[in-house]
Amino acid sequence: MMPTPLGLLPDALNASFKIIPAIMVSGMLLLFLGIGYAFRVADTEDLWVAGRSIGNIENGMAIGANWMSAASYLGMAALIALSGYYGLSFVIGWSTGYFILLIFMAAQMRRFGKYTAPDFVGDRFNSDTARAIAALTTILIGFVYSVGQARGMGLVGLYVFGGDYATMVILMMGITVGYLALSGMLGATKNMAVQYVILIVAFLAGLYAVGFSQGYSTILPQIEYGALLGSLNSEFTEPFTTGGFYLWVATAFSLIVGTCGLPHVLVRFYTVESERTARWSTVWGLFFICLLYLSAPAFAAFGTDLYANSVGNVYGANGMSGAEGDVIVVLASQLANLPTWFVGLVAAGGIAAAIATTAGLFIAASSAAAHDIYTNIVNPDATQRQQLVVGRATIIVLGAIVTITALNPPALVGELVAYAFSLAGLVLFPMFFLGLWWENTNRQGALAGMTTGLLIWFAAILNEVLPAYVGFLGDAAGESGAIVPVFADVFPAIGAALAGTPIVFAVTIGVSLVTDEPPERIKRIVRQCHSPEPMGQQQAAEDVVSTDGGERLGDD
């Protein structure tokens, strides 16, 4: 799909130690550690959902920071720069998903009122097996998603501190894991609000400075960059030259439904005091996100033109490498001859974006391990201290695995993240949507649907992604890059949800129809999620509904 190989190092980037940017980034990282310490957690309520005390604007900023990862700050511009029109599917997909969340899921998820996404699946479908599958999927999403963040932090750290890529990845991930294991969701949320301000100021300042200084724009770079398109290569401007129509639609669709299935996004709705706050958090979050998303195509265009004029060919065998694409935002600022400290500010924004999202992912993964697997399945009598120990251990172990994988990643930052979206759209989104909107969805249907989604995703990854790592699979794939090219055409790893999610819906609905309906208590909880009656800050739908005649959870 991409016109150039990944390439681990961005050769055009001035990777050397720079005193002022180093002071800026070090100060920023110390600030994050300080906030984490100030809001360190002592109980699981603060660790998982911040005591359900976060307001709508603060939560909207946290949603923005949690969402706008290295894939948004760095990867989106990279995909547009390297693959042109195809990269716009990421802008469309990642933006549209929030409208689905706003209309169909935000308030309802808050009313259901659990700690985690697997918590919802386990209780809604009355199944510990479903809970375990959702928890393991959450951990897997956190792993795949975070590899892209570690990759982004390592690349941007090269500009600021110099040295080598591996050292930067290890350093940045070490700091992230350290503050997160200490702070939990409460400290992470406070940090995310700060991180959002840093990343959006850095991104917009860089865009305007590059646009104005190079004569690309005079008022609004987000609109005026269109005048530049005629002078760019056809690979940038012509539709579907680096990916066909089906791949474009498949990618956009997977990103839309994946957005609605990401555990670290959905948990933000559990941290607020009411369903009204959940809705407004989504509105504010979408506004904060669009500030960057409307700007990324312009940054990509500016960076591509500057690269062509200052370095060499953008496309072709000797064109821009994947690593250079992944830092095109920082590289554009450097090639525009902006002051070193200013380019350091842009780089700091990329690091803040990656750390913010990694925090959300690791919190979701740690809660899945400690709350959903350890406490609900392995040790129901676990104390809060034991849960905190397991949660923090999960963060540390996951951080180590992510760091090792990021040393030799299989794809661009944006592509890595898209694999996680595909998984979320195949396995979790159908369960959330049907679980909230069709009260007859039952345990058997959920288990069949989730298993089907996992099989489709693993088959797509095995078919396209693993051949880059495993020798005999690479030999089987050959030049096409896919072991079974026909399967890749229908279920591309980056967009498997287009064909796969309808199949999961059909399997879930079909199995639910031919098996027993869920208990009446579960149906009443679903109805309560749509009730117009307001609920208390600490209330959940299950608290409101009478439990008379209910079944014990987890009776598989």
Side-chain angles (χ1 to χ4, degrees), residues 409-458:
L412 295 170
V413 170
E415 291 178 302
L416 285 166
V417 170
Y419 298 147
F421 277 76
S422 184
L423 174 59
L426 281 165
V427 179
L428 296 180
F429 167 67
M431 301 307 109
F432 297 146
F433 192 88
L434 288 173
L436 289 169
W437 287 96
W438 188 39
E439 63 182 38
N440 286 330
T441 314
N442 65 10
R443 175 193 305 160
Q444 294 87 345
L447 291 173
M450 296 171 78
T451 303
T452 302
L454 279 172
L455 289 174
I456 292 173
W457 187 80
F458 274 114

Side-chain angles (χ1 to χ4, degrees), residues 157-176:
L158 285 174
Y159 176 82
V160 177
F161 297 104
D164 62 272
Y165 171 74
T167 301
M168 284 300 101
V169 171
I170 294 170
L171 174 65
M172 295 298 174
M173 284 300 296
I175 292 172
T176 303

Side-chain angles (χ1 to χ4, degrees), residues 286-364:
L286 187 58
F287 168 73
F288 292 135
I289 289 166
C290 283
L291 288 178
L292 187 145
Y293 278 20
L294 293 175
S295 305
F299 227 143
F302 297 165
T304 301
D305 189 58
L306 286 169
Y307 189 95
N309 293 332
S310 304
V311 180
N313 295 329
V314 178
Y315 305 103
N318 298 316
M320 184 191 299
S321 70
E324 288 167 332
D326 271 338
V327 291
I328 192 66
V329 170
V330 179
L331 194 56
S333 304
Q334 173 192 305
L335 296 177
N337 295 316
L338 297 176
T340 301
W341 68 265
F342 189 91
V343 183
L345 172 65
V346 177
I351 293 172
I355 289 178
T357 298
T358 305
L361 291 164
F362 278 24
I363 286 290

Side-chain angles (χ1 to χ4, degrees), residues 222-254:
Q222 296 89 342
I223 297 175
E224 295 175 278
Y225 80 95
L228 176 65
L229 296 182
S231 61
L232 296 177
N233 295 69
S234 61
E235 289 93 337
F236 188 95
T237 56
E238 289 184 11
F240 315 125
T241 56
T242 53
F245 176 79
Y246 182 85
L247 182 63
W248 197 100
V249 175
T251 303
F253 182 87
S254 283

Side-chain angles (χ1 to χ4, degrees), residues 364-415:
S366 69
S367 62
H371 178 72
D372 297 300
I373 296 177
Y374 181 71
T375 304
N376 281 286
I377 299 175
V378 177
N379 182 14
D381 298 322
T383 64
Q384 288 205 355
R385 178 179 177 80
Q386 289 173 320
Q387 292 183 59
L388 290 172
V389 169
V390 173
R392 285 168 172 155
T394 302
I395 290 172
I396 294 170
V397 172
L398 184 60
I401 298 173
V402 166
T403 301
I404 293 170
T405 308
L407 297 179
N408 184 26
L412 295 170
V413 170
E415 291 178 302

Side-chain angles (χ1 to χ4, degrees), residues 113-128:
K114 296 299 176 181
Y115 283 108
T116 67
D119 221 6
F120 169 85
V121 173
D123 286 5
R124 167 60 181 86
F125 299 113
N126 201 26
S127 169
D128 275 345

